[in-house]
Amino acid sequence: MQNRIIPIASTTQDLRERKRRGPKGRRADAQALNEIRELLGTASRQRDLLIEHLHRIQDRYKQLSAPHLAALAEEMRLPQTEVYEVASFYHHFDIVKENEPAPLALTVRVCDGLACEMAGAGALLERLPAILGRDVRVLHAPCIGRCEQAPAAVVGQNPVPQATVEKIVAKVRAGAAQHVPEDYIDLVTYRANGGYRLLSECVTGKRDAESVIATMEASGLRGLGGAGFPAGRKWRIVRSEPSPRLMAVNIDEGEPGTFKDRVYLERDPHRFLEGMLIAAWAVGIDAVYIYLRDEYHGCRALLEQELARLQAEPPVAGMPRIELRRGAGAYICGEESAMIESIEGKRGMPRLRPPYVAQVGLFGRPTLEHNFETLYWVRDLVEKGPESFTSQGRHGRKGLRSFSVSGRVKQPGVKLAPAGITIQELIAEYCGGMLEGHSFYAYLPGGASGGILPASMNDIPLDFDTLQPYGCFIGSAAVMVLSNKDTAVAAARNMMRFFRDESCGQCTPCRAGTAKALALIEKPRWDVALLAELSLVMRDASICGLGQAAPNPVDCVVKYFPHELA
């Protein structure tokens, strides 16, 4: 067979024709472009707003269709692959391909986190599809931050505490209007009780930044999102970096068992906002980005309302720009660098370090990253002095901790208690004891990744640095209490399912390790030697804390509950 020779003129003509037709791949159709342009209106098309714009489309059309994704890519001048990979990364975006049925108009999410599983979420998930019928979609959901209300569900955007089939059916029939907390301290009430006076003293020169930072350092307050880095030291580090400096606030408390930030936000949002603005003033912040998890729909409406009021009647001149950004259902975005990636409109994948966020963070600028609760206590510490904090504590520890307590206790909820309190004291003094008919069996001192300890180890002070010798840590102080009706093996399986589903997939030790660990512990007999090897690899080689801490529940079962494996 002879080789075919293609004339150069013909090849050039083909290239010109192809260029005139446009690039390969889906092209945005006129109708979809018009719908996206009408939806976005005058909003900026800047790259970091990609997730915000995806939410706009999802909220309006209840789905992300291929034509709309193509139109959004064209409108924002982004490759379609980039738009699709971001949209497909987050749980709360429903991407519908051509010739696929659209998602149902109403979705019911039932939390299957550990607290909700113990309270009967499994039975709800089994019964609801048949009862609600084909017009309602019923989904498993990872922890939705309402563990004290277990079992918890969400109908549309409306939470259902202590959910039953009857409550959920009634909510579906009534319509899924967004729930907004009502009994909270608004701007008028907050200012009437001395709110923003401290901020005014700072901005007008009655207090100087050095003295405020020194007070924070003397208080010993550590980051309350889980990492525990000293807050005052962090302020000083970021302040020493070149401007412009930015601030990122993490309200993406996705750790199973954690709900303290939501509770405080629903009660007293301006105490947090004033602490945030004081930190911004002390460090010299140009703009603040608040990252709120998407499960907290009511909190978002509350914050939008109060931020609008605050900006309409600013308590001081020269406040930094404040932007509220919306998560999209990804536990990994609780990690500071993954959160920053998400604020920038990207997939929430942790960054390699160094450089650290304090040096090269949001948009490449030095960034002060803080958890909600850390900022919530700033006003009290500065007004009352560091001794108001350091004078608290038990068993040689100093300070106060907000414990999110759930599980088999009579009175679950957020318990502000002395740092160093033991689990036995916490249950007896703050939770009303164990539920009737239940005896204390085990506890998770720091949420899903903090490990599991038996009831016999009930005298360990609960605080930073006290649990590490036992293979555990306190993290965000999410305490889950198990009884004689539960097993540590079942708890570990629940946690590992969560980690497998929430791994961002960036690194092999975590992506493959969580899946392999779950497969191994779901077997009737555990291969303890293989699990130990897997744990070592995950701890040593995972990029971030998810993969490094995921083996904790499994390792604790092997170490402290061998009788369950016999």
Side-chain angles (χ1 to χ4, degrees):
M1 181 176 179
Q2 293 182 342
N3 292 330
R4 184 183 177 192
I5 300 175
I6 302 176
I8 294 177
S10 174
T11 304
T12 304
Q13 183 178 357
D14 288 346
L15 289 173
R16 287 174 180 167
E17 288 292 328
R18 198 176 303 164
K19 187 174 182 180
R20 280 198 294 269
R21 289 196 299 267
K24 289 183 177 180
R26 174 181 293 278
R27 302 186 67 187
D29 63 62
Q31 180 181 344
L33 264 175
N34 288 336
E35 289 172 345
I36 293 300
R37 287 169 179 164
E38 182 273 331
L39 181 62
L40 299 186
T42 60
S44 171
R45 272 60 167 172
Q46 64 198 55
R47 171 65 181 80
D48 58 285
L49 292 175
L50 174 57
I51 293 174
E52 295 296 305
H53 293 338
L54 288 170
H55 275 302
R56 287 178 180 231
I57 299 170
Q58 174 105 359
D59 289 346
R60 170 73 68 86
Y61 296 102
K62 310 302 180 186
Q63 62 177 340
L64 299 177
S65 66
H68 281 155
L69 290 175
L72 181 63
E74 182 168 324
E75 192 67 10
M76 296 187 72
R77 299 183 180 277
L78 292 172
Q80 290 186 33
T81 52
E82 193 169 339
V83 173
Y84 183 86
E85 73 176 9
V86 171
S88 60
F89 180 84
Y90 296 92
H91 296 317
H92 290 186
F93 291 137
D94 292 314
I95 300 176
V96 179
K97 299 178 183 178
E98 287 183 298
N99 303 319
E100 285 187 348
L104 299 173
L106 184 61
T107 297
V108 174
R109 287 183 166 87
V110 179
C111 177
D112 61 1
L114 180 58
C116 290
E117 183 181 80
M118 290 192 296
L124 288 176
L125 285 161
E126 287 180 8
R127 296 179 58 197
L128 283 171
I131 293 171
L132 295 176
R134 296 182 178 179
D135 295 332
V136 178
R137 181 173 59 164
V138 179
L139 298 178
H140 294 251
C143 184
I144 60 175
R146 296 183 178 274
C147 313
E148 86 282 25
Q149 302 170 358
V154 180
V155 176
Q157 296 184 349
N158 205 336
V160 183
Q162 285 87 39
T164 62
V165 169
E166 293 73 22
K167 283 185 178 181
I168 292 173
V169 169
K171 188 68 69 176
V172 168
R173 290 174 179 170
Q178 181 169 278
H179 168 76
V180 181
E182 296 177 354
D183 298 327
Y184 69 90
I185 300 171
D186 62 11
L187 177 59
V188 173
T189 307
Y190 185 74
R191 295 187 74 166
N193 290 301
Y196 292 107
R197 185 184 303 150
L198 176 60
L199 176 64
S200 179
E201 290 176 0
C202 293
V203 173
T204 58
K206 293 182 180 179
R207 295 176 185 263
D208 61 89
E210 177 57 35
S211 67
V212 171
I213 294 175
T215 297
M216 292 294 294
E217 289 175 326
S219 72
L221 180 67
R222 297 171 65 169
L224 298 173
F229 193 86
R233 190 192 307 172
K234 184 182 288 189
W235 290 18
R236 194 173 294 282
I237 290 171
V238 179
R239 182 180 170 83
S240 68
E241 295 292 326
S243 61
R245 309 175 196 97
L246 303 176
M247 185 175 182
V249 182
N250 191 340
I251 321 182
D252 191 66
E253 56 174 357
E255 179 75 16
T258 309
F259 48 90
K260 60 184 176 61
D261 292 353
R262 172 186 60 79
V263 170
Y264 285 137
L265 178 55
E266 289 177 340
R267 293 176 183 172
D268 198 353
H270 287 280
R271 186 168 298 273
F272 148 68
L273 291 173
E274 184 171 13
M276 179 187 79
L277 291 170
I278 291 169
W281 162 81
V283 177
I285 297 297
D286 289 73
V288 179
Y289 292 80
I290 302 173
Y291 189 83
L292 179 67
R293 70 180 307 199
D294 193 38
E295 289 85 349
Y296 292 171
H297 297 286
C299 290
R300 186 174 69 253
L302 181 158
L303 263 181
E304 287 172 344
Q305 177 176 286
E306 294 306 310
L307 282 172
R309 290 173 176 172
L310 188 66
Q311 291 163 345
E313 301 178 36
V316 296
M319 287 200 316
R321 186 178 82 254
I322 303 172
E323 294 195 23
L324 179 60
R325 293 296 176 89
R326 180 177 173 185
Y331 165 70
I332 192 63
C333 290
E335 195 275 341
E336 62 175 7
S337 65
M339 175 189 67
I340 284 173
E341 289 287 298
S342 190
I343 292 173
E344 292 180 355
K346 305 171 186 174
R347 293 175 295 169
M349 290 190 165
R351 298 175 178 177
L352 293 172
R353 299 174 181 80
Y356 296 96
V357 165
Q359 302 162 315
V360 181
L362 191 56
F363 307 119
R365 300 308 310 163
T367 302
L368 178 66
E369 189 276 339
H370 263 314
N371 168 257
F372 168 93
E373 195 201 351
T374 310
L375 297 170
Y376 185 85
W377 295 117
V378 167
R379 177 187 164 189
D380 275 12
L381 289 174
V382 177
E383 282 185 340
K384 299 176 182 177
E387 62 280 355
S388 66
F389 186 75
T390 58
S391 62
Q392 308 287 334
R394 290 189 189 178
H395 306 295
R397 309 303 297 179
K398 293 182 179 181
L400 291 167
R401 292 304 305 265
S402 299
F403 294 93
S404 301
V405 185
S406 61
R408 309 293 193 178
V409 294
K410 289 181 179 177
Q411 299 166 12
V414 175
K415 312 296 180 180
L416 185 62
I421 193 171
T422 67
I423 184 63
Q424 199 70 59
E425 292 168 339
L426 186 65
I427 293 171
E429 298 175 31
Y430 289 83
C431 303
M434 298 293 292
L435 287 171
E436 295 297 332
H438 293 257
S439 59
F440 182 33
Y441 175 68
Y443 65 109
L444 287 75
S449 53
I452 311 173
L453 293 171
S456 59
M457 299 174 67
N458 62 354
D459 57 352
I460 303 170
L462 299 178
D463 196 15
F464 293 115
D465 309 323
T466 60
L467 293 155
Q468 279 84 339
Y470 308 97
C472 299
F473 59 82
I474 195 168
S476 59
V479 176
M480 293 186 274
V481 180
L482 278 59
S483 78
N484 57 320
K485 310 289 185 182
D486 311 302
T487 67
V489 165
R493 287 169 176 159
N494 181 287
M495 298 297 114
M496 196 56 71
R497 281 195 297 272
F498 173 82
F499 290 131
R500 178 201 60 185
D501 295 343
E502 294 298 326
S503 173
C504 75
Q506 180 177 191
C507 66
T508 302
C510 178
R511 181 186 65 250
T514 52
K516 179 64 174 178
L518 178 60
L520 287 171
I521 68 174
E522 283 185 332
K523 294 181 178 180
R525 296 188 65 85
W526 290 13
D527 187 333
V528 173
L530 184 56
L531 282 168
E533 290 182 25
L534 185 59
S535 172
L536 182 63
V537 170
M538 292 175 69
R539 293 180 187 281
D540 288 349
S542 295
I543 288 175
C544 82
L546 193 157
Q548 294 163 11
N552 282 345
V554 175
D555 290 350
C556 284
V557 169
V558 173
K559 185 175 183 179
Y560 299 117
F561 302 89
H563 57 280
E564 292 191 19
L565 303 177

